[in-house]
Amino acid sequence: MDTQTGHSQTHATFVIERTYPASPARVWHALSDNDARDLWFSGEPAFTQTEKSHDFRVGGHGTEDGQWHGGPRSRYHSTYTDIVDLTRIVFTYDMWVDERHMSTSLVTIALEPDGDATRLTYTEQGAHFDGLDDPAGREEGTKGLLDKLGASL
């Protein structure tokens, strides 16, 4: 941490691969359709959501805002920068906790047919700020989301 400003940043990259027993079209639907996405991305019982949007198009934004029961306020805001139908999604996202900017990330999701299944490769490059977040925790949280995606399929 910079002792003069009290600010720091940690950069990290991680890659997670999953193979889902579903067609690329079905996995794509789960990633891009609002209702299908809600089955795995939203809805933690310990989280009261106050704002939600998901505009799946290049230049579109997504927002999830709310309060953890007995805990901090959380805000996620994303912007889609590249979409290649059934193949690739690229987006940036920022996260805040109690109105403090926690991180900025660049994510690429690639889909490839693998027989009757689909191989998903998730790559995240992140900047984590002021000790509010740690890369290992973010990777574990993302693995949990991708597991929920698989269960929704």
Side-chain angles (χ1 to χ4, degrees), residues 14 29 36 48 66 70-71 82 84 86 104 109 122 124 135 138 142 149:
F14 61 87
H29 179 78
T48 300
D82 184 61
V84 178
L86 301 175
T104 298
I109 299 174
Y122 179 104
E124 181 165 333
R138 179 67 57 86
T142 302
L149 168 61

Side-chain angles (χ1 to χ4, degrees), residues 13 20-21 30 42 56 72 78 98 120 138:
T13 298
Y20 297 117
S42 299
F56 187 75
S78 65
D98 287 334
L120 180 146
R138 179 67 57 86

Side-chain angles (χ1 to χ4, degrees), residues 34 53 61-62 75-76 81 83 89 93 95 113 123 140 143 153:
N34 283 333
S53 66
H61 300 283
R75 182 167 181 83
Y76 163 95
T81 61
I83 298 172
I89 302 167
Y93 76 91
M95 291 188 69
T123 304
E140 285 307 307
K143 286 178 180 177
L153 294 167

